[in-house]
Amino acid sequence: QVQLAESGGGSVQAGGSLRLSCAASETTFSRLYMGWFRQAPGKEREGVAGIDPDGQTYYADSVKGRFTISLDNAKNTHLQMNSLQPEDTAVYYCAANFWNLGRRANDLSSPNFRYWGQGTQVTVSS
């Protein structure tokens, strides 16, 4: 069982930046691909960014050029969010699953990720 814990949410004005972090409990972290999702009130959850164990990254069109997903050596994944807009307001979730030849982070749909964090709120005011 993989446990994920997000941190770094908060409130910011439009045009500002936030950095979200996600710590994974899995001791074989190098086997995981990771993703970030968000869900705004009244909307479906959407995938915004994913990263494979080899560092290959994937982004939703809505955040491309503004958000950056990364990994570090301490079993953490990060989401750097720049040029934030009010429409980025949502609860952000970290997610993960075990990588194999037929499964990787390029599929930013919820069923492709088995493990989920509790979520962290991001609020962007205009």
Side-chain angles (χ1 to χ4, degrees):
Q1 184 73 13
V2 178
Q3 294 181 327
L4 304 172
E6 303 99 336
S7 61
S11 298
V12 66
Q13 290 190 328
S17 299
L18 282 174
R19 186 174 187 248
L20 305 182
S21 296
C22 175
S25 66
E26 173 57 35
T27 56
T28 54
F29 183 71
S30 61
R31 296 169 53 199
L32 296 174
Y33 61 84
M34 310 292 294
W36 286 95
F37 289 71
R38 66 186 180 187
Q39 188 166 20
K43 294 188 176 182
E44 293 186 357
R45 186 177 297 184
E46 65 166 336
V48 297
I51 187 166
D52 287 330
D54 63 0
Q56 180 70 47
T57 57
Y58 313 92
Y59 297 95
D61 289 342
S62 58
V63 306
K64 203 170 293 183
R66 301 188 298 124
F67 290 11
T68 303
I69 189 171
S70 62
L71 298 171
D72 66 27
N73 294 329
K75 299 188 293 183
N76 298 317
T77 183
H78 306 283
L79 185 68
Q80 178 66 41
M81 305 185 294
N82 298 329
S83 302
L84 284 162
Q85 300 300 317
E87 52 265 35
D88 295 315
T89 296
V91 177
Y92 282 72
Y93 298 90
C94 176
N97 204 353
F98 287 99
W99 181 92
N100 62 36
L101 289 178
R103 192 171 59 216
R104 56 180 56 204
N106 63 328
D107 178 3
L108 290 173
S109 64
S110 295
N112 192 40
F113 291 79
R114 180 175 179 182
Y115 305 101
W116 294 83
Q118 294 299 310
T120 185
Q121 177 70 45
V122 170
T123 302
V124 185
S125 58
S126 58

